[in-house]
Amino acid sequence: MPEPDDLPYDVVVIGAGVVGCAVARLLSHQHLRVALLDAAPDVGSGTSKANTAILHTGFDATPGSLESRLVSRGYELLSDYAPTVGIAIERTGAALVAWDDEQAAALPGLAAKAGANGYHAASVVDAATVYELEPHLGTGVAAGMLVPDEHIIDPWGTPLAFAREALANGVSWLPNRHVTKLERQFDTTVIESSDGATVRTRCVVNAAGLHSDEVHALFGLAGFTIRPRRGELIVFDKLARPLLQRTLLPVPTGHTKGVLVAPTVFGNVMLGPTADDIDDRTATGSTRAGIDALLAKGRRILPALIREEVTAVYAGLRAATEHSDYQITHDREFRYVCLGGIRSTGLTASMAIAEEALALVAACGLEVIPKAAGSIRSTQVTNLGEAFERPYQVGASGDIVCHCERVTHDEIVAACTEQPPATTFDGIRRRTRALAGRCQGFYCSAAVCSIAAESSGRPMSDWMGAP
Amino acid sequence: MTTDETADVVVVGGGPAGLAAAIALRGQGVARVVVLEREAQAGGVPRHSAHLGYGMRDMHRIMAGPAYAAAMRTRAEQAGVDIRTATTATDWTGATSLQTVNRHGMSNIHARAVVLATGVRERPRAALLVPGDRGGGVFTTGSLQQLTTIHHGQPGTRAVIVGAQHVSFSAVLTLQHAACRTVAMVTPLTRHQTYAPLRLLTAGRHRVPIITGCTVEAIHGRDHVRAVTLSNGRRIDCDTVVFTGDWIPDHELARRGDIVIDDTHRGPAIDTAFRTNRVGVFAIGNMVHPAETADVCALDGRHAATAVRQWLEHPAWPTTRVRLIAEAPVAWVAPSRLGEPGTAPGGRITLRVDRLTPSRTVAVTQGTTTLWWGRPRGRLVPNRSITIPGAWLVDADPGGADIIVSLQP
């Protein structure tokens, strides 16, 4: 709901990915007038929807970096918050797998690095122990390092839970606004979007992810450039889930964390990501070369995995920059907070980044007065974790509509009606898991579409994406 | 709260095979036959396949899919079959006991025999590893037919169909009915794989080019399909893509029950009496021969009913099973295990090839013994079944070596 032009917001958060939503949530706990704005029609629909969904301990971060500190703090905050709102975390742990002597030799150094990052539970183990824990691993394991607190989390429910709580506590949701211009007028910034609409605010928080450098540049500032790093991922059928107990990580190289095999909280197995530095910020398509490279790696790591059916192939873009660390800065004169260069660790670090942002908003000269704890409304998201109870198991949620993922009628209705509502098939998928299963809509897409049309009051064609 | 109940036979899946089995079991005097159907209505795939071609072999008339499904439901009701719709079998709670869930919650059903008839689905684009953007407008025949037939939705106006087998031409009809033009059919093989008359009636009549020796290498369009690129480099503008006919059995419940899956077609490995390796559990229909027409599935159901009733009367289950091995270019053979009594359902064995082949002769051997040798009726074309007689099964050694089904030059 746009506010009248003469009443500026205190803070506008540009970008409703997991970081922007976390910031909006924390700001909603203060006596501030806040808006959350995004170019897309839905929250969490950019980089945040296509990550590896790991709750990172930060064991392999660069010691002393901002990322190391915020991942570590974010891990604690999100671990505490998630169960209170329905975000699934499955406590699987992870194992770094060394496939040759050189990699094995690097493990003690990695354990020491984990210690320098404040994580002391990592332990180096021999190949026999690795096979005992993960008997389906391919041949040739040389050694391993266990990271028992590197868990998996629901990547879709996290931004949604933040956004829902933010909206329940008074934050305005302004979707479909691609920011084209930022103009300082006296002590406010006028944000102009491509649809011609304007919003005035006393302070801007840039959480625009892949486009954070563009927003930065609209203030005439420089300092970093986003170089998208495309990561292609393959999701395997749920019948593959018994093949592994924990996330199987490669020994990292300088460029990337490498290709991993991880269980997902939805009960699938994920293989990926690739790491291609590209120029096109919209190139979220998968490629033949990427798929082939992943299958070759997967065949070595977990040979039986490749015999299982593939449920989904997708690509996400990580907001990498020329710097190795997060680019978190503020400009007191412009009353501007920049949260740039947040890479794949952003999901874990999101709540800590929000704390950082709040402090910087205050440093910009805004008076930050917390609301009374009793006056803050809490909200829930539907548990999407396969390891926890889901609505169909409880009953009283209507018939199962999506059979692969066992999503009920009432969940689809809720996805289309609860704030912020789903506006696309993809939005329904991220709120319910419907259409995310092995049949990819063979059985239920038409039924889901029909329920969505009915509960949203928008025609079927809107949901089918027909031209 | 979990409730418990009992039945003589639980059939999982209320499509043509499951309903036919249930009707026949009632006809043979089995008292309590329960069909678990996860959809809101029984009938299976024919419910949303609006064109003619159903019922020839089992009902001896030609009907449209929805009418055929309705006739099956009526017969089942008249036969006293207990059909539980919107009810999903989620797991096994005993040898022949299942956990079910519906809108009221969970329950357990304990039976003396379970018949799995969970059918097949088409592999969607992701399972086929087709790269590119993930825009809307990409269907399987199944999702397309549900959209147009059940929910009266509209696909686009220019479609590319991936595949050129029976079901692909069925998709042409569906699209045509929805005023969507098929601009190309694409198959990696060197020819289409349907019967000439069907091809002429559909694609021929509407001048649909069939592009052979080609695959779809990429899909373009972030929000919605705009075009596809073929493996020959050609780009075709379209707003709809339909993936057809790469069948995968819905085998989740079977695998959760440690039922042996045939590596060839990924459905349960059954013997000549539809028995799986799990005592008291049978598998029928398209999940054991992906995929045949509805009437063939219904005949399966009838034949299986006799085997199920025999099991209820004389509970003996084979402990060893000789395998029938499909040797390339034979893609699969069904049934793929030899069971006693050594006769095939309906007297015949079904097989498919995985490529076009000049060979017309099929040989069945066990060790050095040739059990059968001959030229079956019909063409050996991929994605199309042929049958060979099964009378030779009585001569096979039930304790012997694998039986090899191969083609001879």
Side-chain angles (χ1 to χ4, degrees):
Chain A
M1 195 76 53
E3 295 285 327
D5 257 358
D6 54 342
L7 243 172
Y9 287 104
D10 291 315
V11 187
V12 170
V13 180
I14 300 175
V18 70
V19 171
C21 291
V23 173
R25 171 189 166 270
L26 192 56
L27 292 174
S28 79
H29 293 184
Q30 326 300 323
H31 286 287
L32 293 170
R33 295 187 56 251
V34 181
L36 177 64
L37 178 151
D38 201 285
D42 197 3
V43 301
S45 57
T47 291
S48 298
K49 76 174 179 189
N51 61 37
T52 48
I54 290 174
L55 185 63
H56 292 287
T57 56
F59 78 93
D60 59 348
T62 305
S65 64
L66 184 60
E67 185 180 25
S68 167
R69 177 166 67 81
L70 295 181
V71 167
S72 186
R73 169 76 180 150
Y75 182 98
E76 300 300 328
L77 292 170
L78 191 48
S79 298
D80 290 345
Y81 176 73
T84 67
V85 296
I87 301 168
I89 291 177
E90 210 173 316
R91 299 184 178 277
T92 54
L96 250 84
V97 182
W99 293 94
D100 56 40
D101 292 344
E102 192 185 332
Q103 291 180 1
L107 294 178
L110 285 166
K113 187 179 179 185
N117 280 312
Y119 183 70
H120 301 287
S123 59
V124 177
V125 294
D126 63 10
T129 308
V130 175
Y131 281 119
E132 199 174 306
L133 294 170
E134 299 291 344
H136 295 283
L137 275 166
T139 55
V141 173
M145 183 175 96
L146 304 181
V147 191
D149 303 290
E150 193 89 348
H151 299 315
I152 54 175
I153 185 168
D154 169 7
W156 297 336
T158 307
L160 181 65
F162 293 154
R164 188 165 285 173
E165 187 177 323
L167 268 51
N169 288 293
V171 170
S172 302
W173 166 226
L174 308 177
N176 299 311
R177 295 206 187 192
H178 177 78
V179 175
T180 51
K181 193 174 167 191
L182 297 173
E183 194 180 335
R184 290 292 295 167
Q185 287 183 359
F186 305 105
D187 61 343
T188 60
T189 302
V190 178
I191 302 173
E192 201 175 303
S193 46
S194 51
D195 58 347
T198 56
V199 188
R200 273 203 305 147
T201 179
R202 297 171 64 207
C203 177
V204 170
V205 175
N206 174 5
L210 276 175
H211 302 281
S212 52
D213 59 340
E214 293 166 5
V215 172
H216 202 60
L218 290 176
F219 270 117
L221 300 170
F224 69 97
T225 313
I226 299 289
R227 185 86 207 279
R229 187 169 295 158
R230 180 169 55 201
E232 294 178 57
L233 293 154
I234 299 178
V235 178
F236 286 87
D237 192 275
K238 289 183 168 53
L239 290 162
R241 180 64 182 84
L243 294 174
L244 75 174
Q245 301 301 313
R246 52 181 63 62
T247 298
L248 304 173
L249 301 166
V251 175
T253 65
H255 185 56
T256 152
K257 290 177 191 292
V259 173
L260 55 87
V261 183
T264 74
V265 293
F266 313 129
N268 297 76
V269 176
M270 189 176 61
L271 169 67
T274 55
D276 294 316
D277 292 327
I278 56 171
D279 294 318
D280 183 355
R281 296 175 191 209
T282 63
T284 52
S286 57
T287 63
R288 175 66 65 203
I291 291 170
D292 289 347
L294 287 180
L295 292 178
K297 287 228 161 90
R299 195 170 285 115
R300 167 152 199 210
I301 301 167
L302 212 58
L305 181 64
I306 307 304
R307 284 201 293 274
E308 297 295 343
E309 294 289 315
V310 169
T311 297
V313 179
Y314 61 89
L317 300 179
R318 289 160 272 177
T321 68
E322 65 273 46
H323 307 287
S324 62
D325 207 352
Y326 291 172
Q327 298 299 302
I328 298 183
T329 57
H330 76 294
D331 186 306
R332 197 184 153 86
E333 188 199 332
F334 289 168
R335 284 208 182 123
Y336 166 62
V337 176
C338 175
L339 310 172
I342 314 290
R343 298 179 303 168
S344 57
T345 49
L347 172 60
T348 304
S350 53
M351 293 181 81
I353 296 170
E355 286 185 339
E356 203 74 7
L358 182 64
L360 294 178
V361 165
C364 284
L366 266 72
E367 204 176 359
V368 175
I369 303 165
K371 292 178 181 170
S375 71
I376 297 171
R377 294 180 59 186
S378 62
T379 53
Q380 290 285 315
V381 291
T382 309
N383 162 53
L384 301 185
E386 193 69 2
F388 309 95
E389 193 168 68
R390 299 198 42 236
Y392 82 89
Q393 292 166 310
V394 185
S397 185
D399 291 343
I400 293 176
V401 178
C402 165
H403 298 293
C404 302
E405 300 295 314
R406 300 201 178 126
V407 181
T408 59
H409 175 275
D410 294 4
E411 289 173 82
I412 312 266
V413 172
C416 299
T417 52
E418 284 184 17
Q419 292 296 320
T423 56
T424 59
F425 253 25
D426 212 30
I428 295 175
R429 177 174 13 235
R430 290 197 301 275
R431 284 164 176 79
T432 64
R433 277 172 47 181
L435 306 156
R438 56 172 67 95
C439 91
Q440 293 280 298
F442 178 95
Y443 293 112
C444 79
S445 58
V448 170
C449 183
S450 165
I451 296 168
E454 194 178 317
S455 54
S456 68
R458 292 167 47 213
M460 288 275 280
S461 55
D462 271 24
W463 293 94
M464 252 1 246
Chain B
M1 191 180 63
T2 306
T3 56
D4 282 77
E5 61 177 323
T6 57
D8 290 314
V9 181
V10 170
V11 179
V12 186
L19 289 180
I23 293 164
L25 281 163
R26 287 288 301 133
Q28 296 193 28
V30 177
R32 290 170 305 162
V33 181
V34 173
V35 173
L36 303 176
E37 169 54 52
R38 65 186 192 177
E39 297 291 342
Q41 192 180 45
V45 165
R47 283 176 311 131
H48 47 76
S49 187
H51 55 76
L52 292 173
Y54 288 85
M56 279 184 282
R57 295 181 185 82
D58 59 337
M59 295 191 185
H60 306 294
R61 51 200 172 113
I62 298 179
M63 316 163 77
Y68 175 81
M72 288 294 279
R73 283 195 298 271
T74 304
R75 288 183 185 199
E77 279 155 24
Q78 285 167 352
V81 175
D82 180 355
I83 302 177
R84 312 273 176 89
T85 55
T87 302
T88 308
T90 49
D91 211 348
W92 302 86
T93 55
T96 48
S97 299
L98 290 164
Q99 181 186 63
T100 68
V101 61
N102 63 17
R103 60 164 65 202
H104 306 296
M106 306 249 203
S107 18
N108 292 320
I109 186 157
H110 308 281
R112 292 157 64 205
V114 172
V115 180
L116 299 176
T118 50
V120 281
R121 62 177 190 272
E122 288 162 300
R123 281 194 177 87
R125 174 260 181 102
L128 297 165
L129 300 172
V130 177
D133 299 321
R134 299 178 78 207
V138 180
F139 298 89
T140 51
T141 317
S143 65
L144 173 74
Q145 293 188 337
Q146 295 203 39
L147 172 73
T148 56
T149 309
I150 298 183
H151 299 278
H152 310 292
Q154 195 64 33
T157 56
R158 284 175 61 86
V160 167
I161 293 182
V162 184
Q165 48 180 294
H166 295 332
V167 66
S168 322
F169 290 89
S170 165
V172 173
L173 286 177
T174 304
L175 288 169
Q176 186 219 337
H177 196 250
C180 178
R181 196 158 72 88
T182 302
V183 293
M185 301 178 84
V186 181
T187 173
L189 301 170
T190 51
R191 53 157 288 173
H192 70 82
Q193 306 106 53
T194 192
Y195 304 119
L198 184 55
R199 183 235 179 290
L200 283 173
L201 264 172
T202 55
R205 187 163 138 206
H206 305 290
R207 296 203 177 80
V208 176
I210 299 179
I211 302 172
T212 57
C214 248
T215 55
V216 169
E217 266 308 293
I219 295 178
H220 311 288
R222 272 196 73 196
D223 298 322
H224 200 95
V225 178
R226 292 192 321 271
V228 296
T229 300
L230 305 185
S231 52
N232 64 4
R234 186 171 155 198
R235 189 180 161 106
I236 302 178
D237 292 335
C238 59
D239 57 20
T240 304
V241 182
V242 188
F243 287 90
T244 63
D246 195 321
W247 305 104
I248 172 81
D250 259 318
H251 58 205
E252 185 187 18
L253 189 63
R255 286 183 64 183
R256 289 186 75 92
D258 293 323
I259 285 169
V260 171
I261 298 297
D262 202 299
D263 269 341
T264 56
H265 56 51
R266 305 294 287 156
I270 52 155
D271 70 16
T272 46
F274 299 95
R275 291 173 294 207
T276 70
N277 61 305
R278 187 175 171 117
V279 177
V281 179
F282 300 78
I284 61 172
N286 273 341
M287 75 180 311
V288 295
H289 44 64
E292 301 290 343
T293 51
D295 49 4
V296 172
C297 294
L299 293 180
D300 253 17
R302 285 188 199 166
H303 294 305
T306 304
V308 175
R309 183 184 46 79
Q310 282 169 355
W311 153 253
L312 295 176
E313 287 166 3
H314 308 286
W317 205 260
T319 49
T320 58
R321 308 196 297 172
V322 172
R323 297 188 301 172
L324 275 70
I325 305 281
E327 190 176 277
V330 180
W332 55 255
V333 50
S336 64
R337 299 292 186 274
L338 175 63
E340 296 167 86
T343 52
R348 301 189 76 84
I349 301 277
T350 304
L351 60 91
R352 284 193 182 189
V353 293
D354 63 8
R355 68 198 80 155
L356 292 164
T357 163
S359 170
R360 304 271 329 254
T361 306
V362 177
V364 182
T365 56
Q366 186 180 33
T368 55
T369 312
T370 297
L371 294 167
W372 189 81
W373 186 93
R375 289 192 162 192
R377 264 188 302 154
R379 291 185 68 130
L380 284 165
V381 176
N383 301 317
R384 230 157 93 175
S385 296
I386 56 153
T387 63
I388 58 171
W392 49 269
L393 284 162
V394 294
D395 304 322
D397 176 2
D402 288 343
I403 295 168
I404 310 292
V405 180
S406 61
L407 297 190
Q408 298 301 309

